[in-house]
Amino acid sequence: MAQNPASTRPDASRRSERSRRAIYEAALALVGEVGYPRTTVEGIAARAGVGKQTIYRWWSSKADVLLEAFLDLSAQAAEQAADGGAEYAIPDTGDLAADLKAVLRATVDELHDPRFEAPARALAAEGVVNEQLGREFVATLLAPQLQLYVRRLRAAQDAGQVRPDVDPRIALELFVSPLAQRWLQRTGPITHAYTDTLVDYALGGLAPR
Amino acid sequence: MAQNPASTRPDASRRSERSRRAIYEAALALVGEVGYPRTTVEGIAARAGVGKQTIYRWWSSKADVLLEAFLDLSAQAAEQAADGGAEYAIPDTGDLAADLKAVLRATVDELHDPRFEAPARALAAEGVVNEQLGREFVATLLAPQLQLYVRRLRAAQDAGQVRPDVDPRIALELFVSPLAQRWLQRTGPITHAYTDTLVDYALGGLAPR
Amino acid sequence: MAQNPASTRPDASRRSERSRRAIYEAALALVGEVGYPRTTVEGIAARAGVGKQTIYRWWSSKADVLLEAFLDLSAQAAEQAADGGAEYAIPDTGDLAADLKAVLRATVDELHDPRFEAPARALAAEGVVNEQLGREFVATLLAPQLQLYVRRLRAAQDAGQVRPDVDPRIALELFVSPLAQRWLQRTGPITHAYTDTLVDYALGGLAPR
Amino acid sequence: MAQNPASTRPDASRRSERSRRAIYEAALALVGEVGYPRTTVEGIAARAGVGKQTIYRWWSSKADVLLEAFLDLSAQAAEQAADGGAEYAIPDTGDLAADLKAVLRATVDELHDPRFEAPARALAAEGVVNEQLGREFVATLLAPQLQLYVRRLRAAQDAGQVRPDVDPRIALELFVSPLAQRWLQRTGPITHAYTDTLVDYALGGLAPR
DNA sequence: AGTTAACCGAGACGGTACGTCGAGTCTTCCT
DNA sequence: AGGAAGACTCGACGTACCGTCTCGGTTAACT
């Protein structure tokens, strides 16, 4: 992400893998322990046993470090989940409501995982205010996730379970965005029951039949 | 908001109204001009022609200053809108869809108003990461707004336009949260057509009848 | 010495005397203990229990700090020597050679005093390479000392003990400069016998009579 | 000078003459252009088109590099002056005063040569504070020069032009040291007239006959 | 002629200090 | 007593160099 512009770019082939990993771990640990604002580049460097310059050589800011660290963490988690199998999609059992509920329940659990909580919040917050990072965050993490819902909804449309004139990209927001907002802004509790309800409301609509 | 703890609390009756207003204006102006992270307490004090201590005497942090300043701004704007009147509600013409669309269109316009944009984003971002401020932000600004939707949806339920078993507090998120997320995370464009579609999808549901 | 140019010069009347003294002491102590090059502004600040900014507010460099600290030390020493009496001159017993030898012997002793040694060397070295500081060093410390010799030599001329066509400002260098060079460049040992010899050679000349 | 201690000393026979010369030139040029303190090992390496390690392999510090570079420069200059010849001495025309004046005038001219000025000052300054380098500087550059004066003065003693009880090593300082101090500490102007006067005072003494 | 060991340019690395900025506290003087 | 002003300690910033450490790539000497 976000490289220093031209000037005298460092030689990536000679980069220390050891330092990179140590920096990721230190950054995630610190954000988890003391929070994002009190996480400092200096602190990350010290904890990683690394010179500050090594951080500044490869990243442009602590937000940038954290973004990559979190990306790496997500990639690892994903790899673990798929167990090398790769396939990455929302299951399609034929029952759209059930499939969505299952995925959203998993998301709820993830949002409660303290390993993800702190860095995810920090990045989301930074992204709200820092457009460049925000777009990167969305493009690399959020958009791919949302795309999975798009695919699943298209399949449902093909199966006649969702009206064909519905735009899946918008439709998915009916159940994804409420969850997102409750998490980001703490406007309400996040439970399995809640996401189940969202799916029911969204698929069935609010008006009486 | 967030007062200094007991110790020797200042005497509010002798507070300078002049300084308070100047600080609000300086804070909002600076956030608009240079962004939240580069807005400093020192900068606010200098711009307001005020000693730093005067800020620290009455607020606990720059986030706190900005929250109050923004509250003040919102109150002013609201007063202007209602023109001294009081009643604050979503119109009820009997056509729920139309009423919601109208209110959401107004919200879309407000979100595009640069006067609101910068401080609102800044506060939202701070709230994501700073729980205390986040709760204050939600309680004083967001929750009252959402309550208006709850009321309107209850009226619709009474009129038989919304299923009686629907929880209005959750239902409103079907059209409010997607807008919120697009704004906060820039996951998509924000237009009148978009919010209209949200209302249609939410009220009608996605499944074919 | 060397003030920051115009810009926003700090208000000297509110300066902390406590910090100033602590900085002087820390600077002199550090130069004595670890040497000039390994004396850092950061180290001085830490030892003095002072913020770095407080040093940079009042001085432009570590050389500048040390110069003032040394000046202060010299002033104290002088005050102590004269015991408030003020009188500051080379004694005039009528015997020029004896008077000069006495003063030079005292100088030799001072040059061997470790309290003076380290900072004096450091300042002299810095002055060799840093013209601005060098001129300040000479003007405030060296020149006044040399002026005392000029006065004594003039008195000797009036008494007919020195040829009237001799320029005292140059003549004094015959015995002062050799001592200075031996000290600065370690070109030879510095003893009372040595300075006595210098006075004899200088007053009597090298050529046989 | 100052070699790395035993350990794995590099093989001097495989040393790159090309690099050595480039480093000398870069070091002298940089000291002349930006001054000693802002001359860095990194800068010398970059300018010489050489790896940093190549410098650290053969020298222990930038002072050491500069000392050798300056020595090399002096050797070249001397070779040029003597035009391949060898004899290095103060002329002996029988007139001691005239001989000394001539040599000192030449020294004055050299001290004004900007090619020598910057590195010589830098080395002298470093030597004041860095005892090891100072002694090296004196031993390799200063002492041999002074020895020439010793020889010339001895010859003068043999010729009966200088009192036999005078120590030539001290006597020479009467006219050499004042010049050195004026140059090092800028305590006064350096002219031919000045050095002529020094010789006259030193040889003749200050006291009336 | 092929191997090998050292120097070489390059530059990433863990560090230390730089000089600056801002935080939050404290003090002074004014209203 | 509040307020304007701003000096204070402290901590972090992002940069510059330090001296060490690989990393290919040439050489030069020795099989």
Side-chain angles (χ1 to χ4, degrees), chain A residues 5 21 24 29 33 43 55 59 61 67 70 100 102 118 123 138 156 159 169:
Chain A
R21 301 234 61 86
Y24 285 166
E33 289 168 21
I55 295 185
W59 294 278
S61 64
L67 177 58
F70 188 69
L100 292 176
L123 284 169
V138 167
R169 182 59 190 75

Side-chain angles (χ1 to χ4, degrees), chain D residues 90-96 98-99 152 161:
Chain D
I90 294 173
D92 186 349
T93 64
D95 181 346
L96 177 61
D99 291 349
R152 183 64 187 83
Q161 291 157 357

Side-chain angles (χ1 to χ4, degrees), chain A residues 145-162:
Chain A
Q145 289 289 331
L146 299 183
Q147 205 49 40
L148 304 181
Y149 287 96
V150 169
R151 267 203 278 281
R152 182 64 187 81
L153 287 174
R154 286 236 177 84
Q157 283 179 318
D158 292 346
Q161 291 158 355
V162 167

Side-chain angles (χ1 to χ4, degrees), chain A residues 100 163 171-176 196-206 209, chain B residues 163 174 201-207:
Chain A
L100 292 176
R163 291 206 311 273
L172 68 87
E173 297 181 35
L174 294 193
F175 36 84
V176 166
D196 287 356
T197 305
L198 284 175
V199 171
D200 289 336
Y201 287 4
L203 292 187
L206 307 173
R209 314 216 150 205
Chain B
R163 290 205 312 274
L174 294 194
Y201 287 6
L203 293 187
L206 306 173

